[in-house]
Amino acid sequence: MKLRATLALYLLYICTLGAWAQATDDGGHTAIISGTITDDEHQPLEIATIKVEGQMAGTVSDLEGKYSVTVQSTDSVVLTFSMIGYQTRKRTLRNPRGKVTLNVMLPASDYALEGVTVKEMHRQTGQNTRIQSEQAKLMPTATGNAVEELIATQAGVSSHNELSSQYNVRGGSFDENSVYVNGIEIYRPLLVRSGQQEGLSFINPDMVESIQFSSGGFEAKYGDKMSSVLDIQYKKPKKFEATAQASLLGAGAYVGFSTKRFSMMNSIRYKTNKALVGTMDTKGEYHPKFTDYQTCINWAPNKRWDIGFIGNFSQNRYNFNPENRETKFGTMDNVHSFKVYFDGQERDLFRTWFGALSVTRHINTHNSITLQASAFKTKEEVTFDIMGQYWLDAETENESLGVGTYMEHARNYLSGNVQTYTLRGNHNLTSGHRLTWGAEVRKEVFEERSREWEMRDSAGYSLPHQNDKLELIYSLNHPLQETSSSRFSAYVQDTYRITSPLGLWTLNAGIRAAYWDWNNELIVSPRASLGMIPAFNEDFTFRFATGLYYQAPFYKEFRDTTTVDRVTTVTLNRDIKSQRSLHFVLAGDYKFRMLNRNFKFTAELYYKFLSNLVPYNVDNVRINYYGKNMARGYATGIDLKLFGEFVPGTDSWITCSIMKTEEKINGRWLPRPTDQRLNLSLFFTDYFPGSERWKMSLRMNYADGLPFGPPHSGRESHIFRAPAYKRVDLGMQYRLLNNEEREFRTGLAQYFRNVWLGVDALNLFNFSNVNSYYWITDVNNQQAAIPNYLTERQFNVRVMCEF
C-alpha cells in the first residue's frame, strides 16, 4: 500500500509539473525573460541589476553576463538594466508570453576630458582578473609571446628571462601554472633547457578575445595545479578582418571571417631570435627558426548546437655552432675575465601537434552541455657535442687563475601523447544561481631515452682527479622507457549572488576529485570564495578565497634522479604523491577618481601552506626534480596594484609584491628556488601631446635575485643569491594610416583599417642580467661561478597592417 501511495503521489507531481510547464509555454500569466548583458566592447557584465517596474521581480547577471527573470505578463512590462559606472537602460515589452530573449548593451558612464573618453572600470568579485587583450598587440616584446609578457607584469607574477615566456607566481615553479584556451588545457614541450630554445607559445595574440588570470584561490573547474590559472577565450570574428606584421624578430599573418552561422580564423607565425641571442657573451652561428600555424573554427547550425575546433602545429628548431665567449665579472677593484674557445654544435628540435573538437548542446536558455575531445603530441630532440677551452684571469692583478677544458655531450629524445575527453554542464537554476560541473578522462603515453655526460680538465688533470683511472664529473644514462597512465577527474561548483541590506554578495563553492592509476592516488580538492560589494560604499570590493590545491605529478615530476659518485640514474617513482597547497587569500579593491581620471587600488594578502613537496633545482628554464616527496613549506606575501588611466584614454598599472617562501628538507629550512623578496613591475602607455598618431608603451621589471648553487648538487649547497633582474623595454608606434571610420574609400588606402610603424628599444638601459652560472673547478677542487648573462640592448623595427 505504501508503494502504491508513493507512486500515486509521484505521478501526481509529474502531472502537476507538466501542466505548469505547459501553461508557461502557452503563455499563462507569466513570462521568462532572459539574455546577456554586455558593455560597449561586447564584454559580458557581471552583477548588473535587472528590475521589473511595478513588480517584485528582479535579479543580477552572472559571470558571463547572463540573466533570467520571471515576470507577470501584462499589457506593458518595463525592465530596467543598471550597474554602477554604466548608463541605465530600459526596455518595454508588450504583453510578453512564454520565453523571451532580450540582450542589452550598457554603455559606460563616460567622462569627457579634453576630448578624451574616460570609461568605467570592470568590477572584480571573483578570483579572476580580467586583462584587456588589446594591450598585447603593440607592446614591445622580445619573445613574440605578448600575452605571457603582459601576465608577467601582474601583481604576484615574476620573470627572470626575457627569452622565455614562462613565469613564476607567488613562489611557484613554471610547472605550477595552468593555461586554458576555450576551456582546454594547453601543454608545453618538456625538454626545453634554455630560453633560447623556446619558440612561440600556443597563445596567439591576434586570435584572443578575453584574458582572465588568477594568482591563487581559483575555482574548482580549473585543474590540478598549485599556483595560477590563465584562462584565454578565442574570439569569433563578426566580419572579415586580417592582420599582417613583420619585424627584425619575425613575422606573422592572421585572417578571420564569418557568415551568419560560421566563423573561421587562421594564423601563421614565424620567429627568429638570432639578432637577440647574438648580443649575448657566447658568439657563434645561431640559427633559431620557430614556426607556428593555428586555426579556430566555429559553426552553429542552429540555436541548439555549437561546434568548435582548434588546431595547431608548431615546429621549433634551434641550431647553434658556438665559436668563442668572453665574460667579465666581479667588482671594480677585482675584475675577472673568462675566455672560452669552442668547437662543436647543438641541434634541437621541438615539434608539437594539437587538436580539439567541442560540441555544445543548448537544451534551453538556461542549460547547456559540452563534449570536448583533444589530443596533444610532441616529438623532442636535444643533441649537442661541445668542447670548450677556457682561461680564467684576474685582470686587475694580471694573474692566471685557471686553465682548462670541458666537453659536454647529450642525446635526449622524448615523445608524448596526451588524449583528453571532457563532458561539462552549465545550468542557470534561478536568478543569481548558477551550477557548473564536469568530468574528464585523460590518457598519457610518454617514451624517453636520455644520455648526458660532462668531462672537465683543469691544468692537465681530469676532474675528479684519480691517479689510476679516468672519471667524468657528471654522467646520466636513461635507457629507452615507455610509460602509460590514465587520469580521471570530476568537479562541481555553485555560484550564488545575493542582495542584502549589507550589500551584494557573490559566493562560489565547489569540490574537485581526481584519480591517477599510476600511483593509485585519489585527491579531493574543496575550494570556495566570497566577494562583497558593501552597501555603505560601492567603491569598495572585498574578497576572500580558500581551498586545498594539488599539483598532480606530470611526467617530469616523477622522474627520480639519484646521483652516486657523480653517476646519475633515473627511475620512475610509482610511490610519488601529489604536492599539496592550502591557500588563504584576503583581498580588496578601492575605486576612486583623481585628476578627473579613474583609478583602482588592489591589495591581496596570502598564505600558502605547502606539503608533500618534490624539491627541485632550476638551471636556466630547466627544472630538475628530486622525483620524491620529501619536503614541506610555505609561501606568504602581499601584492599591491594601482591600475588606472594615468594618461586619459589609456590603461596603465604599477605593481609591488613582497614574498617569502621556504621549504624544510631533511630537517633544515631552506629558501625555495623561487624565493624572491621584492618584485616591481610597471606597464605604462601614453599618447604624444596633441596627437593620437604617436603611442608609447613602457614596460619595467625589477625582481630580486634567486638562490643558486653548484650544478648536480643538493639544495643544501644553494646558499648564494643571484643579482636582481632589471629590465626596461620601450616601444614607440606611429599610426601611419587611420581608416577606422572608413574615410578612405578609393585607392589602396581603402583596403586598410590601420597601418602602424614601430621601433622598440629592448633592454633600454643595457642592464647585464644573470640567468644562470657556469661552474669551473681547478685541481684543488676550488669552484668558481661564471655568470651567464642575458641579452644586451637591442633595437627592433616592426610594421603592422590591419585590414
Side-chain angles (χ1 to χ4, degrees):
M1 294 295 294
K2 290 183 177 180
L3 179 60
R4 292 179 180 178
T6 301
L7 289 173
L9 288 173
Y10 181 73
L11 290 172
L12 178 62
Y13 170 76
I14 293 297
C15 293
T16 303
L17 183 63
W20 177 83
Q22 183 66 34
T24 302
D25 290 341
D26 293 341
H29 300 289
T30 62
I32 300 176
I33 314 298
S34 61
T36 303
I37 303 176
T38 60
D39 60 16
D40 46 10
E41 296 179 352
H42 306 291
Q43 296 294 323
L45 291 177
E46 58 175 309
I47 64 173
T49 302
I50 300 94
K51 294 182 179 179
V52 183
E53 293 187 2
Q55 300 184 25
M56 297 297 293
T59 186
V60 293
S61 58
D62 64 14
L63 288 170
E64 296 181 353
K66 296 180 179 180
Y67 74 95
S68 178
V69 60
T70 301
V71 303
Q72 295 294 322
S73 182
T74 61
D75 291 340
S76 179
V77 176
V78 180
L79 291 88
T80 302
F81 301 83
S82 62
M83 182 176 177
I84 297 295
Y86 293 85
Q87 300 178 26
T88 300
R89 288 290 184 263
K90 290 186 178 183
R91 297 291 184 267
T92 301
L93 301 177
R94 303 297 180 185
N95 194 22
R97 299 294 182 94
K99 297 178 180 179
V100 179
T101 300
L102 179 60
N103 298 322
V104 177
M105 187 272 287
L106 299 183
S109 298
D110 301 341
Y111 301 91
L113 180 63
E114 297 179 0
V116 179
T117 300
V118 183
K119 295 188 176 181
E120 180 67 16
M121 298 178 183
H122 171 71
R123 186 185 297 271
Q124 178 185 345
T125 58
Q127 288 304 111
N128 284 6
T129 300
R130 184 184 298 176
I131 302 171
Q132 293 292 336
S133 60
E134 293 296 322
Q135 301 286 351
K137 287 189 176 181
L138 295 176
M139 67 180 292
T141 170
T143 66
N145 303 316
V147 172
E148 287 88 345
E149 293 193 28
L150 197 64
I151 295 299
T153 65
Q154 301 301 305
V157 186
S158 64
S159 173
H160 289 77
N161 190 339
E162 66 269 11
L163 294 173
S164 172
S165 61
Q166 304 192 59
Y167 49 84
N168 303 108
V169 179
R170 292 180 177 174
S173 72
F174 304 141
D175 295 334
E176 296 176 18
N177 306 314
S178 295
V179 178
Y180 290 84
V181 174
N182 288 5
I184 305 162
E185 188 169 5
I186 304 302
Y187 302 92
R188 293 175 177 268
L190 302 177
L191 294 185
V192 173
R193 302 168 60 250
S194 66
Q196 296 94 302
Q197 297 172 319
E198 279 196 32
L200 294 157
S201 74
F202 183 92
I203 303 171
N204 190 319
D206 288 327
M207 303 172 74
V208 171
E209 180 177 55
S210 67
I211 304 173
Q212 295 190 65
F213 179 74
S214 175
S215 53
F218 38 88
E219 301 173 4
K221 68 179 181 179
Y222 298 115
D224 297 309
K225 294 291 181 72
M226 291 199 303
S227 290
S228 74
V229 168
L230 175 59
D231 191 349
I232 302 291
Q233 287 293 323
Y234 276 179
K235 59 187 176 182
K236 299 178 182 178
K238 307 298 182 183
K239 55 184 178 180
F240 176 82
E241 56 186 32
T243 301
Q245 52 188 317
S247 74
L248 299 179
L249 300 178
Y254 157 79
V255 176
F257 63 91
S258 67
T259 62
K260 184 177 181 180
R261 300 190 180 277
F262 179 84
S263 67
M264 184 176 187
M265 295 186 294
N266 292 276
S267 178
I268 186 168
R269 295 180 292 171
Y270 170 78
K271 169 189 168 183
T272 175
N273 55 14
K274 181 177 181 179
L276 205 58
V277 297
T279 66
M280 302 173 69
D281 285 348
T282 301
K283 307 302 181 182
E285 297 180 9
Y286 289 91
H287 298 285
K289 295 181 180 180
F290 311 125
T291 55
D292 168 274
Y293 169 75
Q294 197 162 148
T295 184
C296 181
I297 301 172
N298 290 279
W299 178 43
N302 53 53
K303 293 182 179 180
R304 295 293 187 184
W305 294 93
D306 281 324
I307 301 173
F309 174 78
I310 296 178
N312 174 260
F313 171 75
S314 175
Q315 178 170 281
N316 302 332
R317 290 187 179 273
Y318 179 74
N319 298 334
F320 176 43
N321 294 77
E323 295 177 355
N324 60 78
R325 165 183 176 174
E326 181 174 2
T327 301
K328 296 183 183 296
F329 63 100
T331 63
M332 294 183 64
D333 298 329
N334 187 18
V335 179
H336 289 65
S337 174
F338 180 65
K339 297 180 180 179
V340 188
Y341 293 94
F342 295 102
D343 187 22
Q345 64 181 2
E346 178 175 356
R347 297 290 184 268
D348 303 328
L349 171 67
F350 304 93
R351 184 180 293 146
T352 62
W353 297 262
F354 177 84
L357 177 67
S358 64
V359 179
T360 299
R361 167 68 175 178
H362 299 280
I363 302 172
N364 50 43
T365 56
H366 306 288
N367 302 278
S368 65
I369 295 178
T370 299
L371 176 64
Q372 284 184 335
S374 65
F376 169 78
K377 182 179 181 180
T378 181
K379 179 182 178 182
E380 305 175 26
E381 301 175 2
V382 175
T383 63
F384 54 82
D385 289 282
I386 296 177
M387 182 179 69
Q389 294 180 319
Y390 66 84
W391 288 260
L392 179 62
D393 301 322
E395 291 198 347
T396 53
E397 300 176 3
N398 196 22
E399 178 185 358
S400 178
L401 302 179
V403 178
T405 302
Y406 66 86
M407 179 175 290
E408 296 177 334
H409 165 91
R411 294 293 185 272
N412 299 334
Y413 304 94
L414 181 142
S415 62
N417 291 275
V418 181
Q419 298 181 19
T420 307
Y421 304 93
T422 307
L423 181 66
R424 293 198 305 267
N426 291 277
H427 310 280
N428 294 316
L429 302 179
T430 60
S431 299
H433 182 193
R434 184 185 182 194
L435 176 71
T436 59
W437 56 268
E440 183 177 280
V441 178
R442 181 182 302 169
K443 179 69 174 179
E444 301 170 355
V445 178
F446 290 97
E447 186 178 273
E448 183 188 17
R449 174 164 51 94
S450 300
R451 179 172 177 79
E452 300 178 359
W453 55 261
E454 181 179 354
M455 183 275 290
R456 291 190 190 176
D457 175 272
S458 179
Y461 290 92
S462 176
L463 299 176
H465 178 58
Q466 299 287 343
N467 291 325
D468 56 347
K469 58 181 178 180
L470 178 67
E471 289 190 359
L472 299 173
I473 197 168
Y474 162 75
S475 68
L476 178 148
N477 185 18
H478 182 199
L480 182 64
Q481 190 167 15
E482 181 178 314
T483 63
S484 178
S485 64
S486 298
R487 302 178 192 262
F488 308 88
S489 62
Y491 73 88
V492 60
Q493 69 178 40
D494 218 343
T495 303
Y496 289 87
R497 279 182 171 77
I498 305 170
T499 303
S500 74
L502 295 177
L504 178 63
W505 301 79
T506 302
L507 172 65
N508 179 279
I511 189 168
R512 185 179 187 88
Y515 173 78
W516 188 28
D517 67 0
W518 175 264
N519 59 358
N520 295 319
E521 180 187 28
L522 175 66
I523 56 177
V524 179
S525 173
R527 309 173 188 181
S529 66
L530 179 66
M532 177 194 180
I533 301 175
F536 67 83
N537 190 335
E538 294 184 341
D539 289 330
F540 284 98
T541 303
F542 301 106
R543 300 186 301 277
F544 174 76
T546 185
L548 184 61
Y549 296 84
Y550 289 89
Q551 179 79 14
F554 203 52
Y555 180 73
K556 289 193 299 183
E557 290 151 278
F558 60 84
R559 293 175 74 253
D560 186 359
T561 55
T562 304
T563 302
V564 178
D565 293 332
R566 294 165 297 279
V567 177
T568 301
T569 58
V570 178
T571 57
L572 302 181
N573 183 7
R574 284 190 174 272
D575 295 324
I576 195 168
K577 301 299 181 183
S578 298
Q579 301 179 84
R580 187 165 52 204
S581 177
L582 180 60
H583 289 201
F584 297 96
V585 183
L586 181 64
D589 300 333
Y590 176 62
K591 298 167 58 180
F592 61 97
R593 286 183 59 78
M594 183 174 63
L595 303 176
N596 290 324
R597 300 167 191 169
N598 289 339
F599 290 89
K600 181 171 71 172
F601 177 75
T602 300
E604 292 198 7
L605 183 68
Y606 63 90
Y607 182 87
K608 298 194 289 188
F609 175 74
L610 310 173
S611 58
N612 283 348
L613 292 179
V614 179
Y616 61 89
N617 293 319
V618 179
D619 180 16
N620 204 308
V621 299
R622 183 185 187 183
I623 299 179
N624 298 309
Y625 289 94
Y626 279 38
K628 60 184 69 174
N629 306 97
M630 52 182 297
R632 61 183 177 90
Y634 69 89
T636 185
I638 184 171
D639 295 332
L640 306 174
K641 179 179 180 179
L642 179 62
F643 174 91
E645 297 182 346
F646 294 89
V647 175
T650 64
D651 291 339
S652 303
W653 57 84
I654 182 171
T655 66
C656 175
S657 300
I658 302 173
M659 183 200 68
K660 183 178 182 181
T661 179
E662 291 183 318
E663 58 188 349
K664 193 173 186 180
I665 305 176
N666 298 326
R668 180 180 174 186
W669 283 101
L670 302 169
R672 302 197 75 202
T674 54
D675 181 43
Q676 175 185 278
R677 302 302 169 84
L678 177 65
N679 184 67
L680 299 172
S681 295
L682 169 69
F683 182 80
F684 184 78
T685 56
D686 191 7
Y687 287 100
F688 275 40
S691 173
E692 291 190 2
R693 285 185 174 270
W694 285 96
K695 186 176 182 179
M696 183 271 289
S697 299
L698 177 69
R699 190 174 75 249
M700 302 175 60
N701 293 98
Y702 174 90
D704 262 353
L706 301 176
F708 75 95
H712 319 305
S713 62
R715 287 282 312 287
E716 294 81 2
S717 61
H718 288 218
I719 59 176
F720 307 101
R721 286 270 177 176
Y725 179 85
K726 304 178 289 291
R727 186 173 178 88
V728 177
D729 293 333
L730 176 67
M732 303 291 295
Q733 298 87 35
Y734 176 72
R735 181 182 273 178
L736 185 64
L737 175 66
N738 181 2
N739 198 21
E740 293 277 1
E741 304 299 329
R742 302 294 298 166
E743 297 177 1
F744 301 97
R745 297 184 178 275
T746 60
L748 184 62
Q750 66 178 316
Y751 301 107
F752 294 90
R753 183 159 54 96
N754 285 296
V755 176
W756 290 90
L757 300 179
V759 177
D760 299 335
L762 306 174
N763 195 6
L764 177 65
F765 297 123
N766 204 28
F767 291 121
S768 297
N769 291 309
V770 178
N771 180 47
S772 59
Y773 288 84
Y774 182 77
W775 293 73
I776 62 173
T777 309
D778 62 18
V779 71
N780 297 317
N781 206 31
Q782 298 293 319
Q783 291 186 315
I786 313 300
N788 295 319
Y789 290 112
L790 286 164
T791 60
E792 299 178 354
R793 183 191 297 117
Q794 176 71 25
F795 292 96
N796 183 34
V797 179
R798 53 179 171 160
V799 58
M800 183 176 71
C801 301
E802 296 177 323
F803 301 92

